Amino acid sequence: MLPAYVPNPVAALCGGGTPVDFGKTSSDNRRILGNGKTYRGLFFGILAGIGIGLLQIWLSNTFGLPELPRHTPLSITLLASGALIGDMCKSYFKRRLGKERGEKWPIADQYDLVIGAFILMLVFDPSWLFTNVTLLTFIIILILTPILHRVVNMVGYFIGVKEVPW
Ligand code: CTP
Ligand code: MG
């Protein structure tokens, strides 16, 4: 899951500049996505996710580590882009519900990346998903994700990268 976990914090570190929705509003007069979703965050986040995935591929090829998942260029690209596409879809629905940028939306805020990554994987590389993600792995992902999310966001808040600690 590293290629899916890395894009969000990197987007928070590198984000800023032109928002993905170009500042446009929807028919409800609220922003389509909001200022929290930028092209820079999207680009560097996905790049970093793919980068960590390439490192995993290199590590397992070099040291033959059987406990590492057998990633492919496709699997890491799907996990990294799926994570941030999921994050953007979440923001779209968050704005439609009238929630401001950075406002809490429990469950959606934590699992958007997992849902996005898994849906993309299911559509474009289902065999990778079913070979590598067992039921036990999936349960571990469901437990680990909100914990990691919280810890990383608190760190982001304290170093001044995130505006809120969630
Ligand atoms: N970010 C970005 N581009 C993205 C995703 C994130 O620039 N595609 C940056 C933004 O600076 C954002 C920060 O990362 O504020 C934290 O991301 P997130 O918590 O997903 O955004 P929020 O500001 O909470 O906005 P939202 O309410 O829409 O989730
Ligand atoms: Mg948020």
Side-chain angles (χ1 to χ4, degrees), residues 65-91:
L65 300 168
E67 53 284 344
L68 280 182
R70 256 159 279 274
H71 268 308
T72 64
L74 178 64
S75 74
I76 62 177
T77 306
L78 292 174
L79 287 178
S81 16
L84 288 190
I85 291 172
D87 175 55
M88 283 195 295
C89 292
K90 184 264 327 253
S91 290

Side-chain angles (χ1 to χ4, degrees), residues 19-158:
V20 175
D21 64 9
F22 292 108
K24 289 196 174 77
T25 52
S26 188
S27 56
D28 56 9
N29 279 328
R30 294 181 186 279
R31 287 286 295 276
I32 300 175
L33 299 175
N35 283 337
K37 309 295 126 162
T38 66
Y39 284 100
R40 226 162 64 199
L42 200 60
F43 178 78
F44 288 108
I46 294 175
L47 204 68
I50 292 173
I52 198 90
L54 287 175
L55 185 69
Q56 285 180 289
I57 293 176
W58 179 79
L59 280 174
S60 77
N61 285 346
T62 308
F63 301 105
L65 300 168
E67 53 284 344
L68 280 182
R70 256 159 279 274
H71 268 308
T72 64
L74 178 64
S75 74
I76 62 177
T77 306
L78 292 174
L79 287 178
S81 16
L84 288 190
I85 291 172
D87 175 55
M88 283 195 295
C89 292
K90 184 264 327 253
S91 290
Y92 175 81
F93 291 112
K94 208 169 166 180
R95 299 297 93 82
R96 304 289 73 73
L97 289 174
K99 291 184 190 291
E100 300 296 335
R101 169 193 179 181
E103 214 178 306
K104 257 187 195 164
W105 190 15
I107 304 193
D109 276 330
Q110 285 83 26
Y111 288 112
D112 53 3
L113 69 114
V114 176
I115 296 167
F118 274 64
I119 288 180
L120 226 60
M121 205 52 132
L122 205 58
V123 173
F124 295 105
D125 198 359
S127 67
W128 189 92
L129 190 66
F130 294 117
T131 322
N132 291 283
V133 184
T134 59
L135 183 62
L136 179 65
T137 311
F138 188 64
I139 292 169
I140 294 173
I141 290 169
L142 290 186
I143 297 169
L144 205 61
T145 301
I147 300 172
L148 282 174
H149 189 265
R150 183 78 181 144
V151 171
V152 170
N153 282 342
M154 282 169 74
V155 171
Y157 177 72
F158 286 116

